[in-house]
Amino acid sequence: EIEDYLHAKKLHQPLFGIKSKTMKVEDWILLDRQILRVIKLTLSRSVAHNVMKEKTTADLIKAMSGMYEKPLANNKV
């Protein structure tokens, strides 16, 4: 749901780590931090605790993907 919200608000770029060529670095950092905070606020405490060290939105998405992909791989074995 959060991804849909960010796409609707045209704030999805930090999800994939794709910076617009016309965007200033300072603006990119601010946008990334804002999106990171929005995502962290929507997470449960147990999930948020596991990803609090992540400093960018792209890193947060990678960490969460890793958290949820591992149990699926173990179930297939």
Side-chain angles (χ1 to χ4, degrees):
E1 290 179 22
I2 192 67
E3 186 176 354
D4 293 336
Y5 172 80
L6 295 172
H7 275 281
K9 297 289 185 177
K10 299 189 187 310
L11 300 172
H12 61 281
Q13 292 173 325
L15 291 176
F16 309 107
I18 302 170
K19 182 179 111 23
S20 170
K21 293 178 183 178
T22 60
M23 184 179 280
K24 294 179 184 177
V25 173
E26 297 84 16
D27 293 338
W28 172 256
I29 292 170
L30 178 61
L31 178 63
D32 188 62
R33 285 183 184 165
Q34 289 172 332
I35 302 308
L36 188 63
R37 290 288 169 220
V38 168
I39 294 171
K40 284 183 178 180
L41 287 172
T42 63
L43 299 175
S44 68
R45 285 184 178 176
S46 60
V47 175
H49 176 73
N50 291 321
V51 296
M52 289 306 290
K53 66 179 179 181
E54 305 304 333
K55 300 295 182 196
T56 67
T57 303
D59 290 342
L60 175 80
I61 298 299
K62 287 178 192 173
M64 288 179 59
S65 294
M67 286 172 47
Y68 292 106
E69 288 176 3
K70 289 177 185 175
L72 294 176
N74 289 338
N75 289 338
K76 290 181 182 179
V77 174

